[in-house]
Amino acid sequence: MESDERQPESSAEYVLYLYISGATPNSTRAVRNIKEICDLYLKGRHELVIVDIYQQPELAQGEQLIGIPTLIKKRPGLVRRLVGDLSNRPRVLAALGLSDALPSSPTHG
């Protein structure tokens, strides 16, 4: 029986695919940023797959990538896509469903 190549095989709670293009500055920043986010917020409960589209173009086919780098959250919940170097941490955490992990803004009054 063959498994669907597009379905994550991991039992990790979060399954993330980061598509990059070699060692460009944006790709390098994206890798650094998502690794830091995973270490801080998803330690021990994620699988991160980094795909260099130059070295593994077959893995990028069918993903309908509109820009590089692109992060695709395949699990949990709905599939989410983020394009860019992932430096906007609140936006990345929101896309990952981790908005509660952000420190709340101070209240005045």
Side-chain angles (χ1 to χ4, degrees):
M1 178 178 213
E2 291 183 32
S3 64
D4 184 351
E5 292 179 7
R6 302 187 69 183
Q7 294 297 317
E9 296 177 9
S10 171
S11 62
E13 180 181 358
Y14 282 80
V15 176
L16 310 172
Y17 281 71
L18 178 62
Y19 294 88
I20 61 171
S21 55
T24 62
N26 270 349
S27 291
T28 303
R29 276 193 301 274
V31 169
R32 185 179 57 239
N33 287 330
I34 194 61
K35 283 185 173 180
E36 186 175 312
I37 287 169
C38 287
D39 284 347
L40 289 173
Y41 302 101
L42 298 173
K43 196 168 191 101
R45 54 188 187 125
H46 74 281
E47 176 183 334
L48 174 62
V49 179
I50 298 174
V51 178
D52 185 333
I53 63 169
Y54 292 145
Q55 294 182 8
Q56 299 172 299
E58 70 279 0
L59 294 180
Q61 291 177 349
E63 291 293 351
Q64 300 176 346
L65 302 174
I66 58 171
I68 298 293
T70 295
L71 177 70
I72 301 178
K73 176 188 71 87
K74 298 201 175 209
R75 200 168 60 204
L78 298 175
V79 173
R80 297 276 188 219
R81 296 168 184 264
L82 281 174
V83 178
D85 67 4
L86 309 174
S87 60
N88 185 338
R89 184 161 296 182
R91 183 171 168 247
V92 176
L93 292 177
L96 296 177
L98 297 169
S99 296
D100 293 341
L102 286 172
S104 59
S105 53
T107 57
H108 300 283

